[in-house]
DNA sequence: ACACTTTTTGCCACTTTGATACACAAAAAA
DNA sequence: TTTTTTGTGTATCAAAGTGGCAAAAAGTGT
């Protein structure tokens, strides 16, 4: 399970270093084989290859009659790019992926269980600030969450 | 169960010493393995690892179609960082965590049952002062609390 | 009040990690 | 082919994290 947030800096050619603490787990899980794609929320998703295969399978066996499904398939599968963690621990993000997520010099790599999310740093800070405000302002939580005991 | 409040000082590298009185309990509960994450209220939450695992499990099995759920997952799991109490009894707080809670030189470590909260000292003092004022001003408590016998 | 123990804190040196710059290779465009 | 763009590997330097020690402070008991 991946968790935790790290600031990453993206070099002129679009590479970033995978934080050291995740490298051994990634080595084990997928022999450094990743798939990176886009999320409807302006960020990128980074999966270990085996986990991606499950996702892709789920998506492509949905039938494609619904507009929503076709749209998701086009986005998610369309942008999905195979990547490998280099011997120096770096990952290359293609130009289209960087463009989609508005990634420039600095990003945030956010562990989310079975996958990572990659956000532009500014976008992330603005969003989390909004979320925090929203959570604080709320008198009552969404019903599905009221039983949660943090 | 953790209780009590302690002033902690955070060194230049972001470390603080766990107060001695908690060390044996933490040793027993989690072999010094902690997970620290953020709370929507500008503070950090520090869990013994086994307790964290329960929380994470609850959160990540919620499905991620609802915006509220995704938001919480991103915040709570996204910031969650594994930490270990060093042989000298110190804990390292990563830069993103310190940034989120506005932690600088001194903080407050507040026992809250199954977890600790970590506040920036100034923020804490200001907040508790506000709360005190608010409680005093109030004629009656929220209905859900009337049965409580302090 | 004194001596002694425990805890806290600040400091230093060392190691690991990450950023930058540069040279080179491959592929695409001209 | 030549030129340009895009990606890759490597070396060097800076920053961040780690561990350990020791002085200072706080706490304890006599």
């Amino acid at each position: 399970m991946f968790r935790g947030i790290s600031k990453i800096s993206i070099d002129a050619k679009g590479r970033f270093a995978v934080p050291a603490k995740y490298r051994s787990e990634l080595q084990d899980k997928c022999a450094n084989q990743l798939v990176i794609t886009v999320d409807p929320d302006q960020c990128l998703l980074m999966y270990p290859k085996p986990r991606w295969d499950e996702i892709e399978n789920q998506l492509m066996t949905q039938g494609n009659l619904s507009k929503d499904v076709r749209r998701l398939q086009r986005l998610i599968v369309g942008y999905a790019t195979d990547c490998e963690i280099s011997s120096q621990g770096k990952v290359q993000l293609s130009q289209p992926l960087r463009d989609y997520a508005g990634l420039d010099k600095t990003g945030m790599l956010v562990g989310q269980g079975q996958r990572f999310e990659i956000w532009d740093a500014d976008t992330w800070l603005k969003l989390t600030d909004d979320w925090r405000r929203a959570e604080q302002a709320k008198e009552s939580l969404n019903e599905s969450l009221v039983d949660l005991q943090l």
Side-chain angles (χ1 to χ4, degrees), chain A:
Chain A
M1 287 290 159
F2 307 115
R3 41 172 176 268
I5 188 170
S6 324
K7 191 156 77 84
I8 53 177
S9 56
I10 299 163
D11 72 16
K13 308 292 185 66
R15 290 179 294 184
F16 72 93
V18 175
K21 60 179 166 183
Y22 299 124
R23 288 189 198 155
S24 69
E25 187 169 356
L26 285 168
Q27 174 67 254
D28 294 348
K29 275 225 171 82
C30 58
N32 294 331
Q33 302 300 310
L34 306 172
V35 176
I36 301 180
T37 188
V38 302
D39 184 274
D41 293 339
Q42 288 263 8
C43 70
L44 305 181
L45 305 176
M46 183 169 94
Y47 295 94
K49 185 77 181 352
R51 175 62 184 152
W52 166 259
D53 291 337
E54 293 172 29
I55 306 267
E56 185 176 63
N57 197 43
Q58 271 179 56
L59 252 178
M60 296 315 271
T61 53
Q62 287 288 316
N64 56 9
L65 291 171
S66 131
K67 255 194 167 7
D68 282 351
V69 172
R70 285 210 308 279
R71 197 185 293 161
L72 258 188
Q73 288 174 344
R74 285 191 181 123
L75 265 183
I76 311 276
V77 178
Y79 272 96
T81 312
D82 291 298
C83 298
E84 191 175 350
I85 303 175
S86 77
S87 56
Q88 293 82 232
K90 294 194 177 178
V91 169
Q92 172 80 33
L93 295 172
S94 71
Q95 190 68 59
L97 287 175
R98 280 179 275 155
D99 288 346
Y100 180 98
L103 282 164
D104 186 31
K105 289 240 165 299
T106 57
M108 290 293 191
L109 182 73
V110 184
Q112 286 284 290
Q114 308 234 49
R115 64 163 199 261
F116 289 94
E117 294 184 357
I118 302 171
W119 293 79
D120 173 65
D122 293 338
T123 311
W124 171 260
L125 290 177
K126 205 159 60 61
L127 270 181
T128 50
D129 211 53
D130 291 350
W131 293 339
R132 197 160 44 70
R133 266 186 247 285
E135 292 296 332
Q136 276 185 339
K138 258 196 246 176
E139 282 300 315
S140 60
L141 280 168
N142 183 305
E143 283 176 23
S144 63
L145 294 173
V146 288
D147 290 333
L148 250 153
Q149 173 75 42
L150 293 181

